[in-house]
Amino acid sequence: MLVAFEAGGLFRAFLLLALYPFLRLVSEETGLEIMVFVCFFGVKTKSFRMGSAVFPKFLLEDVVLETLEMLKKGGKNVGFSNIPRVMIESFLKDYLGIDCVVGREMKVFGGYFLGVMKDKKRSNDALETMIRIHEHLVGISSFKESLQYHLSSHCIKIYLVRRADKRSWQLVPREEYMKPLIFHDGRLAFSPTPLATLAMFMWLPFGFTLSIIRVITALMIPHRLSVPILAYTGFRLSFSSDSSLENLNVNRKTKGGRLYFCNHRTLLDPLYLSFSLQKDLTAVTYSLSRVSELLAPIKTVRLSRDRDRDGKMMGKLLKQGDLVVCPEGTTCREPYPLRFSPLFAEMSDNIVPVAMDSTYKEQVLAGVSGLTSRVDDGERSRFDVANQVHSEIGKALGFGCTRLARRDKYLILAGNEGIVNKP
């Protein structure tokens, strides 16, 4: 379902869901072949990064502590699966320390998946070859798989896992992951079980209508009336501000506007902040689609990624009013604020950090002194200011700060630096 929805779209996902009752009636192998065809047929091989960008989040949530501890004791670890190797290889190697992955291979033509897997015997032979060249093997398998692939004939010790055993197992806590999960992509925030996916499709038309009602209510009705109306529609927003920043909407004697520094959870962050403060803000963004710019109820200005040009443009905007920026340059869905760009620290001496969480909770923190065009006595740089704001936001949210940045995210998830060169 993850492949169908993320790589194929709503139609494939709905088709797979509609086929679910039939898939329960056929054999396991036939059901797998049907699902693979529906999900993979016509998908570009070059753009398929589901294995590294989407699957790790959901698969890590199902890893149990007992298996992970056993893997850490082993020497060379080999993973075997009946599902396509392209789906699981990145996860097993990067997050479980598996050295070699043996899985079903997909047939490809002209750079596209044909939706057909190669002969199952090839993956079985590859597994047999792999385990013959090693001695003192320890196997972890279910009863059915152990009988099917005769692992016991090659292993000096084998652990057979039953469903009853799994009931007492413990899932691996996030802090004990072999590799922290910081980056992942995809639109689904929940594990797409059959019932959860059915609920999603039933909710879509109602949710779309409800979102339109909420937007109209927030924009057209005075705040004192819109807040209780939105609350009755299920809208939840927690807002708090530091006592030193009272009267946020009162005109200040300081020249220029405030610069709100936000960590970036979703595209709605600036909009939620504007609504919470009951004031018009201008949001500066690194990249935003034309459709999103047209639909945005607040003013948005696109940055050019040219430091001097962006600095001058933001200086003019600050003279006109308050700005909100997300110095991470991209969203991060896990509890790790990415490294902040130091450019914005030079724009204003009136910086207000805002800690955002997508539940939706907002915390306006105490103001931070920024830098003007010059650094006083060289004692404090723009990097110090950016790191200070980064640290305070992470502390307020209980997130673990990371030195990884936007560029690292796109290199890991997309294989590029997140910049598209126009011809």
Side-chain angles (χ1 to χ4, degrees):
M1 182 56 72
L2 285 171
V3 175
F5 185 86
E6 302 288 0
L10 280 174
F11 175 76
R12 287 193 199 227
F14 184 79
L15 177 60
L16 187 61
L17 179 64
L19 289 172
Y20 176 70
F22 173 74
L23 296 173
R24 297 287 294 178
L25 299 176
V26 299
S27 66
E28 182 178 348
E29 180 66 18
T30 302
L32 178 62
E33 291 175 351
I34 294 173
M35 288 191 290
V36 168
F37 181 80
V38 171
C39 299
F40 279 91
F41 179 74
V43 175
K44 286 185 177 180
T45 57
K46 187 176 181 180
S47 60
F48 187 86
R49 294 184 177 273
M50 297 281 297
S52 59
V54 176
F55 276 92
K57 169 182 168 55
F58 297 97
L59 295 179
L60 273 172
E61 293 173 354
D62 285 335
V63 175
V64 294
L65 196 59
E66 287 79 359
T67 301
L68 187 63
E69 290 176 349
M70 185 60 63
L71 287 173
K72 291 179 179 179
K73 296 178 181 179
K76 187 177 182 66
N77 294 316
V78 179
F80 178 81
S81 177
N82 276 329
I83 67 175
R85 180 178 56 84
V86 69
M87 294 172 59
I88 59 171
E89 184 173 34
S90 294
F91 163 71
L92 292 178
K93 287 186 174 181
D94 294 340
Y95 293 93
L96 291 187
I98 300 294
D99 300 286
C100 181
V101 177
V102 179
R104 304 289 290 275
E105 299 295 336
M106 300 289 297
K107 293 184 179 181
V108 178
F109 180 78
Y112 291 85
F113 289 115
L114 296 179
V116 179
M117 296 181 292
K118 294 182 179 179
D119 187 4
K120 186 177 181 179
K121 187 176 183 299
R122 295 189 179 184
S123 58
N124 291 343
D125 292 342
L127 177 63
E128 292 289 337
T129 302
M130 183 65 62
I131 61 181
R132 280 198 192 100
I133 61 178
H134 298 286
E135 297 180 353
H136 308 297
L137 296 175
V138 176
I140 306 175
S141 179
S142 70
F143 278 94
K144 181 178 66 174
E145 289 177 340
S146 66
L147 294 174
Q148 185 176 1
Y149 300 116
H150 307 289
L151 292 179
S152 58
S153 62
H154 299 282
C155 299
I156 60 171
K157 184 182 294 186
I158 184 166
Y159 294 88
L160 299 179
V161 183
R162 301 170 298 184
R163 288 186 179 272
D165 299 328
K166 294 183 179 181
R167 294 173 186 169
S168 61
W169 287 2
Q170 297 178 344
L171 297 178
V172 178
R174 176 183 290 273
E175 58 271 14
E176 295 190 26
Y177 286 172
M178 295 180 69
K179 174 184 176 182
L181 177 67
I182 298 177
F183 300 122
H184 68 84
D185 203 357
R187 293 163 288 181
L188 287 179
F190 60 90
S191 182
T193 62
L195 286 178
T197 307
L198 177 62
M200 178 191 71
F201 278 105
M202 294 175 64
W203 168 261
L204 279 177
F206 177 74
F208 179 75
T209 304
L210 182 62
S211 65
I212 295 177
I213 295 174
R214 286 176 173 174
V215 170
I216 294 175
T217 301
L219 296 179
M220 306 298 293
I221 300 178
H223 190 268
R224 65 179 182 276
L225 297 177
S226 65
V227 169
I229 294 175
L230 291 172
Y232 277 113
T233 67
F235 181 86
R236 295 291 182 268
L237 173 62
S238 174
F239 177 80
S240 62
S241 63
D242 189 89
S243 58
S244 63
L245 293 172
E246 295 180 357
N247 302 322
L248 285 171
N249 296 325
V250 177
N251 292 329
R252 301 173 302 278
K253 295 181 180 180
T254 55
K255 295 182 179 180
R258 274 195 172 113
L259 182 62
Y260 291 95
F261 252 54
C262 302
N263 63 304
H264 204 5
R265 303 296 279 174
T266 75
L267 291 177
L268 297 177
D269 295 340
L271 180 60
Y272 271 87
L273 181 62
S274 178
F275 177 77
S276 301
L277 297 177
Q278 303 178 49
K279 64 192 302 184
D280 293 329
L281 297 175
T282 299
V284 290
T285 63
Y286 276 115
S287 59
L288 196 65
S289 68
R290 295 298 181 186
V291 175
S292 298
E293 287 182 341
L294 292 173
L295 295 177
I298 63 175
K299 182 180 179 181
T300 61
V301 178
R302 185 176 299 199
L303 297 174
S304 64
R305 300 191 184 280
D306 182 284
R307 186 172 178 275
D308 294 333
R309 189 191 309 175
D310 290 340
K312 292 178 181 179
M313 181 268 293
M314 290 181 60
K316 292 180 181 178
L317 291 174
L318 277 170
K319 292 179 181 179
Q320 301 171 8
D322 293 347
L323 290 184
V324 54
V325 300
C326 299
E328 290 172 284
T330 184
T331 57
C332 184
R333 303 177 184 181
E334 296 303 307
Y336 297 95
L338 306 184
R339 189 179 68 219
F340 284 3
S341 168
L343 167 64
F344 308 105
E346 299 178 318
M347 297 297 102
S348 174
D349 278 325
N350 195 6
I351 296 175
V352 180
V354 182
M356 291 272 191
D357 203 355
S358 51
T359 38
Y360 233 96
K361 295 181 181 179
E362 300 176 6
Q363 301 177 57
V364 180
L365 309 179
V368 174
S369 298
L371 301 176
T372 52
S373 58
R374 295 185 180 181
V375 180
D376 296 337
D377 301 326
E379 295 179 356
R380 200 160 182 248
S381 71
R382 64 182 188 274
F383 299 99
D384 295 328
V385 175
N387 291 338
Q388 178 186 354
V389 176
H390 184 243
S391 176
E392 291 185 3
I393 289 179
K395 185 186 301 181
L397 293 171
F399 289 180
C401 294
T402 176
R403 305 305 300 164
L404 298 176
R406 175 186 182 276
R407 178 174 177 269
D408 301 296
K409 172 184 174 179
Y410 281 94
L411 285 173
I412 292 173
L413 298 184
N416 58 60
E417 296 186 9
I419 300 175
V420 178
N421 296 320
K422 296 182 179 180

